[in-house]
Amino acid sequence: MGALRDGSADVALLCVGSDDLTGLGTVEVAEELPVVLLPRGHRLATRREVTTAELREDPGHREECPPMGLDEIVDRVALGRLVTVVGSAAADRLTRDVVAVADLPATRLALAWPRQASRPDVAAFAGTARRMAGDLGARKRTG
């Protein structure tokens, strides 16, 4: 988010409803189920669902996903140094030492860019994203 605001990024994938999208052009592109990453021996790791309140009570929980690659996040979780929420697409990259617990509300993802962006390539990218998101929505409704 900050990178869009300070101009160091042209486009970002953000969460609708939890990120401040004020002043940004957006197009919703997907919905993803969040999962909680826990070390296999964690007291919540055998549960089918975990509440946000339970996560906030955990000393290893970080509300914001740390600014690092997924492999490092998984390593930190496996070592018992981190409990965090990531998108379910990350589940295929987990090690045997990390458990993904689901049952949190789905997150809508949007492609966002500064509205005042005048670069033609950003405008073209945004237009393509809008068309593709529209095509995806039409397939879901008829499929």
Side-chain angles (χ1 to χ4, degrees), residues 3-5 7 10 18 44 47 58 68 70 89 91 111 114 119 134 136:
L4 281 179
R5 303 253 186 240
D10 294 319
S18 60
L44 300 173
R47 305 261 304 273
D58 191 292
M68 59 187 68
L70 182 59
L111 188 65
R119 290 185 42 197
L136 180 61

Side-chain angles (χ1 to χ4, degrees), residues 10-11 25-27 29 111-114 117 119-133:
D10 294 319
V11 179
T26 63
V27 61
V29 293
L111 188 65
W113 59 92
R119 290 185 42 197
D121 53 343
V122 173
F125 186 75
T128 300
R130 277 195 181 102
R131 282 190 302 283
M132 291 180 74

Side-chain angles (χ1 to χ4, degrees), residues 40-88:
R40 184 160 298 282
H42 192 279
R43 65 181 177 82
L44 300 173
T46 58
R47 305 261 304 273
R48 295 189 72 174
E49 57 187 55
V50 176
T51 67
T52 303
E54 289 172 313
L55 287 177
R56 288 186 177 134
E57 292 172 3
D58 191 292
H61 178 252
R62 298 295 171 262
E63 194 77 32
E64 296 289 325
C65 196
M68 59 187 68
L70 182 59
D71 291 337
E72 186 174 349
I73 289 171
V74 170
D75 289 346
R76 287 185 183 205
V77 171
L79 293 169
R81 295 183 182 158
L82 177 65
V83 171
T84 194
V85 177
V86 298
S88 58

Side-chain angles (χ1 to χ4, degrees), residues 99-117:
V99 174
V101 177
D103 204 42
L104 294 169
T107 299
R108 293 175 313 166
L109 301 175
L111 188 65
W113 59 92
R115 275 196 190 127
Q116 71 279 6

